[in-house]
Amino acid sequence: MIFDVMKTILFFFPEGKKFNESNYKESKQFKRLIKSRDKYLKDHTLILELETKLKNVLLEYAIANWTSLQDSNCFEFKVLLHDNQPILDDDVQLMRLLGGTRTDLRIFISILAKYYYFFIEETHYDVTSQRWSFKTLNEFSIEIENSIARLQNLMNLEGYIELSTEIINTIVEGVETELIEQGNVKVFHCLFTDLVNP
């Protein structure tokens, strides 16, 4: 599978070029990347369909669409894993309601190929110090495992392939993104976003 993933990445990212150089942005790979982003910026049909389907399989949770195709190569959703708790405009107020800890299922669906990745994120907010902290969870409740199974089933039915943590953390040699220099770019940064480090 890693061969196919790398082939997809090199179709959209030029090798051996610095992002801030003109030959990067003039490359056929970068032009393909921008064309793909533009397609989904103009036509919201797929993202709206995916959002509706996610809401149908995760009925008890609030889902926020965090997609920003100007800056990334994926549809991004954040699922608040607290039963029947709406997402509030005020993050601090929400954290107070949740006792200072929130758990989210973060879903990334590539627009470059039919790949997706997810992880569970726990956020803590200390009211006294007003400090935020984040961590990725590897162990969770049966309820969350069931939600993950429903997500995986949906994505499988839609024809998407789930990428493992090992694959998304693989370094892509010779490739640079807008925010990450060569030697540090991972599969995740290319297929999904370089704004998040899972």
Side-chain angles (χ1 to χ4, degrees), residues 142-154:
I142 296 288
E143 182 182 72
I144 292 176
E145 285 181 15
N146 289 337
S147 297
I148 289 170
R150 288 182 295 185
L151 166 68
Q152 291 169 316
N153 186 48
L154 169 66

Side-chain angles (χ1 to χ4, degrees), residues 26-168:
E26 293 301 318
S27 71
K28 63 185 175 191
Q29 294 91 342
F30 187 73
K31 288 179 181 179
R32 286 184 198 126
L33 178 68
I34 297 305
K35 185 177 180 181
S36 188
R37 284 182 183 175
D38 286 347
K39 173 184 171 184
Y40 292 106
L41 281 167
K42 292 175 185 165
D43 183 1
H44 300 128
T45 306
L46 180 59
I47 191 169
L48 294 174
E49 287 175 2
L50 286 170
E51 185 173 2
T52 299
K53 289 175 181 179
L54 284 169
K55 287 179 178 178
N56 287 337
V57 298
L58 300 169
L59 286 170
E60 68 274 31
Y61 302 122
I63 299 177
N65 183 339
W66 277 38
T67 301
S68 175
L69 290 175
Q70 294 86 356
D71 306 313
S72 63
N73 305 318
C74 68
F75 303 133
E76 181 179 352
F77 299 97
K78 200 167 188 176
V79 182
L80 181 62
L81 293 174
H82 297 267
D83 286 357
N84 303 308
Q85 171 61 57
I87 297 173
L88 306 177
D89 289 336
D90 185 336
D91 288 338
V92 174
Q93 183 183 4
L94 176 60
M95 292 302 282
R96 285 187 177 133
L97 279 172
L98 297 174
T101 302
R102 76 180 268 176
T103 306
D104 294 284
L105 169 59
R106 298 199 53 191
I107 306 166
F108 303 86
I109 304 168
S110 182
I111 63 167
L112 305 180
K114 292 201 104 171
Y115 296 120
Y116 79 102
Y117 182 74
F118 69 88
F119 62 91
I120 306 293
E121 180 178 69
E122 188 173 82
T123 305
H124 296 277
Y125 177 70
D126 184 307
V127 179
T128 309
S129 67
Q130 296 184 340
R131 286 197 165 168
W132 295 84
S133 63
F134 307 88
K135 71 178 181 180
T136 301
L137 298 181
N138 296 314
E139 295 180 13
F140 18 84
S141 69
I142 296 288
E143 182 182 72
I144 292 176
E145 285 181 15
N146 289 337
S147 297
I148 289 170
R150 288 182 295 185
L151 166 68
Q152 291 169 316
N153 186 48
L154 169 66
M155 297 307 287
N156 187 42
L157 289 171
E158 294 296 316
Y160 286 88
I161 297 169
E162 179 183 341
L163 296 181
S164 69
T165 302
E166 180 183 349
I167 288 176
I168 63 111

